Amino acid sequence: MTRFDIVIVGGGIAGASLGAELAARASVLILEKEAAAGYHATGRSVAFWEETYGGPLVQPLTTASGPMLLSPDPDFSDRPFLSPRRTLHVGRAEDAEARDRLLADYAGKVDLERVDPHRIVPGLRPGWTLGLLEPAVKDIDVGALHQAWLRRFQRRGGAMRLSTTLRSARRQDGGWRLETSDGPVGCGVIVDAAGAWADEVARACGVAPLGITPLRRTVLQLRVPALPSPALPLVMDMGGGFYFKPEGKGHIWLTPHDEAPSPPCDAAPDEMAVAQAIARFQEAVDWPIEAVERKWAGLRSFASDRAPVYGFDPEMPGFFWFAGQGGFGIQTSPAAALLARSLLLEEPIPEAIASLDPAAYCPTRFR
């Protein structure tokens, strides 16, 4: 039976980033049940870095990750993963409370400017009178980032087994014996980085689940020839009804911001959500839609308080949670991986993330 110090279940952005940080200090195996890593949530992201996205508990992780994504170490990438975008938060008169909450939650932390939204987005319909500009928002090259994590993991000696399912695991000799579709594996620590399958992995290991719930998000690509400019900001409804982002000349990515509970699965777009997205888009701007070019869906997985879960399970030795990262696991991956590495290896927290409070993300809050 092959043995490793650490086995990570899940090869998406969470497992790849943490694996890359651990592999220089321990022998690490990533188990990925799909034929390609990053097939699910990682490969279906709308791909932006936004400090207000995910809420006040996520913002410190996003902010700390920004410099590492914008100016990565040369051995990690020879170019930035971020490029300029901006976000325009828009609202109608009834959204004044949501606007004020944004301003209060991020005062002194994130730059938010009151603006006339019609000066920034031509074709915005008259009812949308409230505007907050978040100028620091960037697009993320998700594919390049994920591949960079995987390359670093492999260069540092990490091993990966694709198309390999964890069937069960039990404590044995102070560690774990895992039964997989590719045979037994031994290790000292299991890391649950399985995204929508996080609670299922926990159950397979005899660990009580935390109630991490997958929520489906539907996304469309529309052909909109009247799009004024591909450099327009990401436009986000303060009321939570939609957001859309230019994706090249004459194309946008649009979502109705849906959060439908779903079992862990290969998510498919919901036709009702597609119709809602189009209706809400047409209520916001007067740009004619020429075609729905494609549509897809992904599962964003949340704990009950919508904060991520990083740390050892208090009731099961050697079981480490790295899950519940919603739709913000990509934009927070550098800081989250450093924090989780420190917690797992019981090392001092690096200076780059010294401002983070690990207690905010600890699984003990659910036990």
Side-chain angles (χ1 to χ4, degrees):
M1 179 175 63
T2 309
R3 184 174 178 84
F4 297 85
D5 297 323
I6 300 163
V7 170
I8 299 173
V9 184
I13 200 77
S17 58
L18 182 53
E21 292 297 340
L22 291 170
R25 294 165 165 79
S27 60
V28 183
L29 171 68
I30 293 177
L31 295 179
E32 170 53 56
K33 69 185 184 66
E34 302 294 349
Y39 174 75
H40 291 285
T42 299
R44 307 179 194 199
S45 168
V46 179
F48 56 83
W49 176 92
E50 181 185 279
E51 289 170 286
T52 59
Y53 193 64
L57 284 175
V58 175
Q59 174 265 316
L61 291 161
T62 304
T63 300
S65 295
M68 293 180 268
L69 293 169
L70 192 58
S71 301
D73 293 338
D75 72 332
F76 187 47
S77 175
D78 59 2
R79 59 187 180 88
F81 298 105
L82 303 182
S83 56
R85 172 56 61 190
R86 304 179 298 161
T87 287
L88 178 66
H89 301 269
V90 298
R92 294 173 277 205
E94 60 266 31
D95 297 316
E97 184 177 344
R99 176 202 60 194
D100 295 343
R101 188 164 56 250
L102 271 170
L103 289 167
D105 283 347
Y106 300 102
K109 301 173 184 176
V110 179
D111 184 15
L112 292 167
E113 307 168 9
R114 293 176 186 255
V115 295
D116 176 357
H118 295 89
R119 292 191 174 187
I120 297 173
V121 179
L124 190 66
R125 295 193 186 275
W128 298 87
T129 57
L130 307 181
L132 288 178
L133 186 67
E134 189 173 347
V137 173
K138 306 286 194 298
D139 285 342
I140 303 179
D141 188 336
V142 176
L145 178 61
H146 187 227
Q147 289 302 310
W149 285 124
L150 291 174
R151 284 195 303 272
R152 173 173 278 185
F153 174 67
Q154 291 165 347
R155 282 200 309 267
R156 291 177 170 178
M160 176 177 283
R161 295 185 188 177
L162 299 173
S163 302
T164 303
T165 302
L166 172 67
R167 292 174 174 163
S168 65
R170 59 185 174 86
R171 296 287 294 170
Q172 178 177 292
D173 300 328
W176 291 93
R177 178 187 171 96
L178 289 72
E179 303 299 335
T180 81
S181 57
D182 193 37
V185 177
C187 70
V189 174
I190 294 175
V191 174
D192 186 349
W197 285 262
D199 273 0
E200 287 196 359
V201 166
R203 290 188 186 97
C205 299
V207 177
L210 295 183
I212 293 177
T213 303
L215 303 176
R216 187 187 62 237
R217 171 63 50 84
T218 300
V219 186
L220 299 69
Q221 179 170 302
L222 302 181
R223 185 162 70 247
V224 185
L227 176 71
S229 168
L232 284 179
L234 167 69
V235 177
M236 189 165 286
D237 175 19
M238 293 178 190
F242 65 85
Y243 61 81
F244 62 85
K245 185 183 80 164
E247 185 62 20
K249 185 178 180 180
H251 306 274
I252 66 159
W253 284 357
L254 166 70
T255 173
H257 221 273
D258 53 326
E259 292 190 339
S262 170
C265 64
D266 185 359
D270 177 75
E271 291 305 318
M272 180 62 73
V274 170
Q276 287 176 335
I278 293 171
R280 293 171 186 178
F281 177 74
Q282 293 178 320
E283 289 174 2
V285 294
D286 63 6
W287 311 334
I289 298 170
E290 190 170 279
V292 178
E293 296 183 312
R294 63 189 183 103
K295 49 196 174 182
W296 67 96
L299 298 180
R300 304 157 70 251
S301 303
F302 293 93
S304 58
D305 61 1
R306 298 182 75 89
V309 187
Y310 308 142
F312 282 105
D313 190 278
E315 297 175 358
M316 179 62 77
F319 189 89
F320 190 93
W321 292 89
F322 195 54
Q325 294 162 306
F328 41 81
I330 295 165
Q331 68 176 30
T332 60
S333 60
L338 285 176
L339 178 61
R341 183 194 74 189
S342 300
L343 297 173
L344 196 154
L345 299 180
E346 299 181 338
E347 296 180 345
I349 293 176
E351 184 177 349
I353 59 167
S355 61
L356 298 180
D357 177 13
Y361 315 114
C362 184
T364 57
R365 68 190 195 267
F366 300 112
R367 297 299 194 206

